[in-house]
Amino acid sequence: MIPFPLAGQALATREVVAPPSDIPSGAVCLPSPEADASVSSAAVVSRLGGERGAVGAHGVGRTRTVAILATLLTTVACATLVHERRIEQALRFDRDVRAILADRCFSCHGPDEEKRKAGLRLDLEDGAREALEGGANSEFARRVASHDADEVMPPPKLKRPLSDAQRATLLRWASEGAAYMPHWAFVAPRKVEPPRTRNASWARDELDLHVLAALERAGLAPQPEADPRLLLRRASLVLTGLPPTPDEAEAFARDPSASEFARRVDAMLASARAAEHTATTWLDLARYADTHGYQTDGGSFTWPWRDWLLSALQSNMPYDQFVRAVLAGDLQPEADLGQRVATGFHRLHRMTEEGGSIAEEFRQEGIADRVGTFGTTFLGLTLECARCHDHKFDPLPTREFYALAAMFGSIDENGLKSYALPVNAPPPFVRLASEEQRLREQELRAALEQAQAQLALRRAEARTRLQSVRLAATAMQAPPPDAHWAFESLENGLVANLVTGAPPASVDRRRPEQLGQFALGEGKSGAGASFDGDGGLLLDGLAGFGRHDEISIALWIRPSERNARAAIVHASGFYTQDADASGIELELVDGHVRWSAIHFWPGSAASVRMREPLPLDIWTHLVVSYDGSSRASGLRIFVNGVPEIVEVVRDGLDGPLAGHTLELGSRSRGSGFRGGAIDELRVWKRALSSVQARELAILDGLGVAPGEFEAFEEHFAETLDEGVAAARAAVRSAQRELAAHLDGIPAFACMQDSAFAPPTFVLRRGAYDQPDASAAVAPGALEAVLPFDASLPRNREGLVRWMLDPRNPLVARVAVNRLWAQVFGRGLVETSENFGLQGSFPSNPELLDALAVDFARGDGTPQSAWNMRALLRRLVLSSTFRQDSRASTEKRALDPDNALLSRGPSVRMSAEMLRDSALAASGLLVEKLGGPSVRPWQPEGLWSDAGQNGHYQPDSGENAHRRSLYTFRKRTVPVPDMSVFDAGTREACMTRRGTTNTPLQTLAILNDPVFVECARALAERAAREAGTRVTRVERAFALACTRAPTSEESNALLELIASEVERFDADFEGARKLVGTPDAELAALALACSTILASDGAMVVR
Amino acid sequence: MNGAPLDRRGLLRGAGLGLGALALADILGAQEGARTRALQHAPRAKRIIYLFQAGGPSQFETFDHKPGLRALHGRPLPDSVRAGQRLTGMSGNQAVLPIAASFASFARHGESGLEVSELLPHTGRIADRLCVLRAVHTEAINHDPAITFLCSGSQIAGRPSLGSWLSYGLGSLNADLPAFVVLVSKDAIRDQPLYARLWGAGLLPSEHQGVQFRAGKEPVLFLGDPEGVGRDARRAMLDALARMGRDASTRERDPEIEARIAQAELAFRMQASVPEATDTSSENDATFELYGAGARDPGTFAANCLLARRLVERGVRFVQLFHQGWDQHGGLPGGIAHQCGQTDQASAALVQDLAARGLLDDTLVIWGGEFGRTTYCQGRMTAGDYGRDHHPRCFSMWLAGGGVRAGHVHGATDEFSYNIVDGGVHVHDLHATVLHLLGIDHERLTWLYQGRHFRLTDVAGRVVREMLA
């Protein structure tokens, strides 16, 4: 039923990328960990004491390198403490200076024109020239160095004074001539010759040369290669999120050759596990969850996007194709289902269904979310800053934010989910048809076309016959209506229906919020219906009109004001405004008659409206008809007997109508017909012809000019000719069958441009209700990044081409950095969410650029460009990755965050990896690709205790043990063992997670029933697979940690078991509670397993 | 990445918990400076209990007496009052907006003569301890954005909540309990849901997120040892874990390992300290009577008020209670009487109890919702019944203790309680003032994320000096 039946799908062809042949492999130099201890320990002290928060301190994590550099640059203060090689480094504007200017100066002297003080602009060389003239004696230097509170810059009221180190840097820069450089990230990456290194045998890959050169500059040497078991474990964890089995590790330890490692890495990369692991990063970026995120936070149908993602990753879709599918899949010629679903990326943001929400507010929130998510994910820019004002730090003006808003606001939706309707996919959507369903649709469409051809034939025949027929006057009249109210009396809240046997209309809307009262007043003849805007009538008996049902309504109508919105006849409430409107709907909008058939407004509706407003204070004869065709052309309006030329408001009805009972003159939480009057309301369950509408007006006392001959033709054919009637019935029947088929196929919200999408305006201060309506904003991109070529289409496809242009400086770097972070635990640009001026400087810019160029360009062979799998392979096979993660205390002090890559990576596993690895080690893990999200066990009452409605019903069976990326994510009630391990709420785009360390984490690992179950199963498995206490401990440890325990670890666990066996021997009941059987040995082993799962060896990638 | 908190806590403990000790923290992490520099003056309050009344309590039936509306009851709201300000989609389409006078009468209380509704008799009795704000205003008009705004200073999801800012800025006063605890009333009408983001850490490291204490035998998720595992066994496991950790630490020389061992020890202590804190059985009958019906039933608002007192006594920095059910679009008289009946006595009791224990001086108590309600009736209006829609332009809150001016009313609204006449307090101002009372300059407590220094008060906020004692 679902288009991505990944389960059971054949694995993608294994792709083997040959390592670059010019890189020597083999002999590895093994410097001792202590080799780098030459650096004075005083330098370490100075670093700790230095101004750490000053430069480039960033959200999650620390940028010690930059801080170190800042410290080093205060050469005056601590020259003697600093390693000599560092001092030689010249001041570099883009690395050392701009970050200070950006953080402390640009908010007043930067790109934001409105906030700029004294006309001074320090972000541009031209704007700053005057202030910097005179170097050390410049106005700039004087103000920065000043001790006078009125003079000093930045001013004290900014409350972020310069540190001594920062001040020294700025003064040195000014005195050295104040050279500017463009921001590194806005200059296209360029590959430089790989650096020469003293150690000629260590590098396997060009990337190693960059790393090694940086290490040598810092006086450091790389670590020796890690133990093969741990290397395999590390590779497996960073590529697949799961550890290898002990047997795999031992086999590799027996043959740890480069070719064997490459073979195993290739197998990992080709596995579904790898797709599942890498997907998590993308799910964070896509703010992917299973609920819509606001207020009641009900379910949202999103998992097909996750499955598309898995299929794209597993087939190693090149990144350029991936970007194109995600951002503009729908715009591709003959876009396939996968490409349509991929665009769901931009429909995964939160949506509200809270009653009373203002549609435009949430439409704009959604668009801003798309722009921000796009910027963070693909450009590494903080575009959202430019929503309200020009970006304070980066050259991103507000109008360019809205140029991107025009790109992503091009779909026809109003930002709200429905409160009352079970609509999972607010249009636009694509139906997720299986191949079988698609074939069936083709059949049904063919049948419909045939029926339509028949109808055309019958109509033509009928028209020929009309030449010889003379119509009797009675044949032109409308048949008796199905309901008729003359509004002459109101008794017991009822208005009589003049059609025999038809139910009366009633004033009771059965809702408490009715404020006003329906009443009778002066009618067209005698009494009539009079409305106050709140009170109305329920037209009992008139319900269930579907999209292929005919209907006509005739009435006299007299508005007394030009109503902005006034419900005349409709079938829905207005809880979340038009998002709840479904059914047929006759309204006044700004005084104009609007006549609609609505599935979900605005993206799935047919609607027309009169060009002129209804006249006030006089009676107008109105007939509206709908022929059941689902098209705007089937909606007709007759005013005083004359067909009205209408404007098409919407013409894309693509789903069922809710079909509640029709209501007259009022609407729950919507505007009723305030000040209006209606008389002689008649309803037919058929479409009247224009001749009948005309005759109706004549009968009702209006003098109407004779109709055109075409009208008689139509009347005769549609109303009197039996052949046409039969053919028309056949068409409706074919339409109903097709609709029933389509409506049975799940719809999935995606992107689809619409001519009806509202134009984009710059919003003042970002406020939805303050558009600068003087000029609509055309779609566009970011000039400072790369001018938008005039030849590109001004749509999302054009945007993708702009992104993939080799001159685009950001896209490849951001992608490479993300994959680097997946492998090494942190990006070369640590602030992977921000490559702008306030972002951190790359720890190794030449390396980042070389990788980015190679990534985008490939090696000239097919499929080598934008090849994510090949890049991951390259990173994991590098000498840099293979290093031992252990290092001396001294080396750690010099490279505390491993920014220089002086050792192998080590990072605490993510929430998903922790649970999945525990499940895998214990043998409980159920590996099954894709499908609906699953509900593993969660604490009873979790949702209600958190103040949310709804109840979490855990799944039983295999769904309890699927990988964590499939776990149902409710945005307002995060999964506890995920949020404790920093998994985030998926309310907004997230590029990297924190790795906090809290007591709640220990409680989760040791006490969460999921982990306790894993410990028990791990113990059972170890007991099954090994015979003695010692071997069982070794087995369990190896299953969880992929290595043998050290003797100390082993002893600790064995002593634990010994003491606990004794305890359980005296408490069989306790053992039974823990492991289900009164087996003290097993219970004690389970406690040991629990301890293993909480240990460093199991929780940390090393 | 963020291994520092433990070291910091350890340091703080060693240094005797004084706020001055935070200067030491300056050297421990890249962003530490931001919080140390935030402490600009001696704090008046050390801790906060925030009684959040979710749903938007009506000011007309609680603290903003508008006797003049009696004469206008049922008449349409003059357009000049609304002046085109936006309404929600719920009542914005009503044909008429008839004024609804409060059904509840008001009386003056205490020396301050504070006017309090008859629905809040107990609160009336503590009138002289209250600083009532009558002109709080917010920007959002619907529940979700509005409550998110009150709790995090932003309508956008993903910003740190007030409590997580305090956890980050000040830490806990008791290393064995979380700095930020959340309690949700189980006896409330769940008309509007709550969201974990209201106590989330947002951009801050997740260690600062609020920890929800649940009613029942496991106050904190996963606090209890698994069945069959006793305390001795757990102790033995942690000993083994520490041994393994030290072994790993010798090899790896990674300070994170030591930090994790210490966190495991802290978890062990929490397993004792949390049940001790949440077990109210040692409280005497007079205390239960003070808090009123429900105080003996864990999870009720009354029991949570009592628990909040116990938690701040033990050094929890910020306790936030959430009580839902104030969203009376229709049937307001009955609805609000019920809400007041559920919360009045315990709220007042909490203030009295804190005062009696000498804790009120440096404990700030805050009472209020996410917005007020309209002067006009939403929906059906009968002789004894009416409803009110959301109203962000003005609403009432109160604060007590912790350095606020007692027996004082700040701010005034017009005769319709539609617009502010004087003393408006924006949500950012409220936050700035609350932080000020804790010794924090709201402009200096920042977190750098995506290149921007984020604050609880965004780019606004003013300390409302008139509220300070």
Side-chain angles (χ1 to χ4, degrees), chain A residues 53 57 59 62 103 159 295 354 384 515 532 768 838 892 944-945 972 982 987 995 997 1007 1046 1055, chain B residues 1 30 86 95 143-144 190 192 196-197 206 212 222 234 243 247 253 263 379 441 447-448 450-451 453:
Chain A
R62 298 160 287 183
D103 192 38
K159 300 192 178 177
Q295 217 225 6
E354 183 174 346
E384 54 275 29
L515 183 63
D532 63 5
Y768 73 91
Q838 289 277 78
R892 278 188 171 274
S944 63
D945 285 355
T972 59
D982 310 291
E987 288 175 303
T995 48
N997 183 1
N1007 297 343
T1046 64
E1055 282 171 33
Chain B
M1 229 180 280
R86 71 170 177 172
H143 294 286
D144 187 323
R190 299 259 160 109
Q192 290 299 327
R197 89 177 80 96
S206 54
Q212 190 187 345
F222 315 133
R234 173 50 52 87
R243 248 176 100 181
D247 182 55
R253 298 188 180 90
Q263 296 296 59
D441 178 342
W447 182 258
L448 189 56
Q450 292 208 333
H453 295 273

Side-chain angles (χ1 to χ4, degrees), chain B residues 1 48 57 133 149 172 240 291 321 359 374 390 431 465:
Chain B
M1 229 180 280
I48 300 181
L133 308 179
F149 193 44
S172 181
Y291 284 85
L321 279 71
L359 284 166
T374 54
H390 311 160
H431 287 156
R465 303 270 162 200

Side-chain angles (χ1 to χ4, degrees), chain B residues 381-453:
Chain B
M381 191 170 189
T382 63
D385 205 10
Y386 54 87
R388 299 188 191 275
D389 202 357
H390 311 160
H391 187 68
R393 312 252 156 220
C394 55
F395 58 105
S396 300
M397 292 180 69
W398 62 254
L399 298 88
V404 297
R405 208 162 142 191
H408 177 68
V409 174
H410 178 66
T413 59
D414 65 13
E415 59 180 309
F416 301 93
S417 192
Y418 202 97
N419 295 301
I420 291 170
V421 170
D422 182 42
V425 176
H426 186 275
V427 171
H428 289 319
D429 302 336
L430 177 74
H431 287 156
T433 310
V434 167
L435 290 184
H436 176 86
L437 289 166
L438 281 128
I440 296 171
D441 178 342
H442 69 102
E443 292 183 340
R444 298 198 185 184
L445 183 65
T446 62
W447 182 258
L448 189 56
Y449 178 72
Q450 292 208 333
R452 195 184 150 199
H453 295 273

Side-chain angles (χ1 to χ4, degrees), chain B residues 205-257:
Chain B
S206 54
E207 65 191 270
H208 298 298
Q209 69 194 356
V211 177
Q212 190 187 345
F213 279 21
R214 298 147 39 108
K217 66 179 192 321
E218 195 171 63
V220 170
L221 282 177
F222 315 133
L223 187 72
D225 295 324
E227 279 200 89
V229 180
R231 287 272 79 191
D232 292 344
R234 173 50 52 87
R235 184 64 262 164
M237 289 167 76
L238 290 178
D239 289 344
L241 190 60
R243 248 176 100 181
M244 293 165 72
R246 278 191 297 275
D247 182 55
S249 185
T250 320
R251 275 194 317 278
E252 302 286 345
R253 298 188 180 90
D254 181 350
E256 282 287 304
I257 300 174

